[in-house]
Amino acid sequence: MKNKARVDELNLVRAFAIIGVLMVHATSKAVESVVDSSFFAVYNFANIFFKFGTTTFIFLSSFVLFYNYYDRPLDKHLVAGFYKKRMLYVLVPYLVFSAVYFSLQHVYGTPGRPLGETLETFAVRLLTGKAYTHLYFVFVNVQFYLLFPLFLALFKKRPGITKWLVPAGFALQWAFLVSNHFWLDVPNVGSWSLTYLSHYFTGAFLGIHFGRIKKWLDFSGGRSRFGRLCSGVLVPAAWLASGTAHAWVWYAIRHDGARFNYLWVELLWNLHTIFTALALLQIAFLLWKKWGRSRPVRALDHLGAVSFGVYLLHPLVLFFYRMFPVTAPVWYHFWYAGGFVLALTLSWALVTVAFRLSPHAWVLFGKAPVARGRTAVRSGPAASVGR
């Protein structure tokens, strides 16, 4: 079977997602230290409104996998190839960076800890995605990788249920969240794939039915008036409204000490991140169609192609950058902005250079960017990165 046509626009969505991840991480210290500042509302908004990176990457990962694999024969060769790619291009870089970040924390935080205790702690954190704050995402996605062949087999055997994937994802996710809130009390709920089933299943739905849904994403027409209203107005409006409401709730919590029911806050986050993924997909299609040959869009395309490497590396840049904080309040805002700019540009540059200089850069940063052509959008690590 021939490979499907490449979905060029997805790299732009990856670029938006990694920018969201960087914005959240670059402002994480600001929302803790400048609560009394007149700029706190700005920092809080940036920190919460851009909190769509991980969920967008989860959505994209599912989209790409089902787009590429759904129409292919499901046999042992496909499954073996699927897991081989994940082992090489996701787990190997994860192992390397887990060791790097854990070593840094050991050297700067617990240098006197006994070797046996250190190795035991590292093993536990490695197996639970806790070697560093951002690596939990790989732990979440590995859970999905383990389940993917089962979901694929089910959806291929009973294709009729695929039209219900979106409501099914929300129902299963919220059954878990509500049960956990009242009865289960599972720790670290954000590290379990059940918390993201609405994103996984929405991505799966779009990947399986992309041939028809592409018309909904294309603003040029070919749809009913109601379809144009939903895609061109209602989705962006829902994205902005839910994102702004989500940011406001966290402003009230952080600044005013307000208290809200956890499930309502989680619902806002869920709506915010789902509508963000859909809106970013629309924006990507519009940008690629109108300005796909322009330098800014091509730059975003490249950033998206190396986003997994940038995701893995950027906390290292921030780690050392934050060792040199400013002392004068007048420079605080420039220092926080500088952290974002440096984390983006230096990580991007280092990953790019690594891929150009060495064919073995995949050990650190996953699969190398694929040259433009007629092949299907790749289902490698850059398709599955960063909450």
Side-chain angles (χ1 to χ4, degrees):
M1 179 177 291
K2 292 184 178 180
N3 287 332
K4 287 187 174 181
R6 183 187 181 96
V7 185
D8 295 312
E9 295 82 358
L10 295 191
N11 268 348
L12 301 185
V13 184
R14 294 186 186 102
F16 300 146
I18 195 62
I19 289 172
V21 170
L22 290 166
M23 182 66 73
V24 171
H25 292 172
T27 57
S28 61
K29 297 297 183 182
V31 294
E32 296 174 359
S33 58
V34 297
V35 177
D36 296 325
S37 168
S38 58
F39 286 90
F40 176 74
V42 176
Y43 286 116
N44 179 78
F45 183 85
N47 184 255
I48 298 299
F49 189 83
F50 283 86
K51 212 166 206 175
F52 54 74
T54 298
T55 50
T56 300
F57 280 123
I58 286 173
F59 163 84
L60 286 175
S61 177
S62 183
F63 177 101
V64 169
L65 290 177
F66 282 98
Y67 177 76
N68 278 337
Y69 284 94
Y70 185 74
D71 294 325
R72 296 167 61 181
L74 180 58
D75 53 31
K76 62 180 181 180
H77 298 292
L78 182 142
V79 174
F82 170 79
Y83 283 120
K84 180 181 179 181
K85 290 178 181 178
R86 269 78 220 161
M87 178 69 71
L88 290 176
Y89 302 127
V90 177
L91 290 186
V92 170
Y94 169 72
L95 290 172
V96 172
F97 274 96
S98 292
V100 169
Y101 286 114
F102 183 83
S103 298
L104 278 176
Q105 292 178 101
H106 175 72
V107 170
Y108 287 96
T110 56
R113 185 168 52 190
L115 178 61
E117 183 183 342
T118 299
L119 293 177
E120 181 181 352
T121 303
F122 174 66
V124 171
R125 293 185 181 180
L126 178 69
L127 294 175
T128 55
K130 296 179 181 178
Y132 207 66
T133 54
H134 69 311
L135 294 175
Y136 78 96
F137 167 73
V138 179
F139 176 67
V140 171
N141 239 22
V142 165
Q143 298 167 49
F144 178 65
Y145 293 154
L146 294 174
L147 295 173
F148 173 69
L150 300 178
F151 282 133
L152 184 61
L154 174 63
F155 299 159
K156 287 172 70 67
K157 185 176 182 179
R158 299 184 179 277
I161 67 175
T162 61
K163 63 183 178 181
W164 301 104
L165 284 178
V166 176
F170 276 94
L172 291 171
Q173 175 179 311
W174 278 91
F176 169 67
L177 291 175
V178 172
S179 298
N180 187 62
H181 182 67
F182 289 106
W183 305 294
L184 299 178
D185 197 26
V186 175
N188 303 313
V189 67
S191 294
W192 296 98
S193 60
L194 292 173
T195 303
Y196 308 94
L197 283 179
S198 63
H199 306 88
Y200 281 126
F201 278 31
T202 300
F205 175 81
L206 265 66
I208 293 171
H209 300 287
F210 183 69
R212 287 178 293 171
I213 293 172
K214 184 178 180 180
K215 296 179 181 179
W216 178 76
L217 298 169
D218 187 352
F219 287 92
S220 63
R223 298 164 299 169
S224 66
R225 181 178 299 178
F226 178 75
R228 288 194 295 271
L229 176 65
C230 287
S231 64
V233 178
L234 296 185
V235 170
W239 165 44
L240 295 174
S242 58
T244 301
H246 191 204
W248 176 82
V249 164
W250 275 102
Y251 177 87
I253 293 172
R254 289 167 167 171
H255 189 267
D256 302 327
R259 302 182 67 178
F260 298 91
N261 185 292
Y262 156 79
L263 292 176
W264 286 112
V265 178
E266 196 73 8
L267 178 61
L268 271 179
W269 163 81
N270 197 182
L271 294 175
H272 173 202
T273 52
I274 283 289
F275 283 120
T276 298
L278 297 176
L280 293 182
L281 199 56
Q282 292 179 322
I283 293 170
F285 269 80
L286 181 63
L287 288 177
W288 191 259
K289 181 176 182 178
K290 297 291 186 180
W291 300 284
R293 296 183 180 275
S294 67
R295 288 187 177 182
V297 172
R298 289 292 179 176
L300 286 174
D301 176 70
H302 181 262
L303 175 60
V306 298
S307 57
F308 186 58
V310 174
Y311 177 78
L312 291 173
L313 184 62
H314 79 272
L316 193 62
V317 176
L318 287 174
F319 182 89
F320 288 108
Y321 178 80
R322 287 169 174 167
M323 297 178 82
F324 304 95
V326 296
T327 55
V330 69
W331 294 107
Y332 281 170
H333 307 303
F334 294 100
W335 186 73
Y336 289 124
F340 170 80
V341 173
L342 187 65
L344 173 62
T345 56
L346 185 56
S347 300
W348 187 359
L350 290 174
V351 174
T352 300
V353 170
F355 278 127
R356 290 182 179 178
L357 293 182
S358 174
H360 306 296
W362 63 269
V363 174
L364 293 175
F365 304 124
K367 192 173 181 180
V370 177
R372 286 291 176 188
R374 297 181 180 179
T375 56
V377 59
R378 62 192 177 99
S379 56
S384 54
V385 193
R387 182 175 173 182

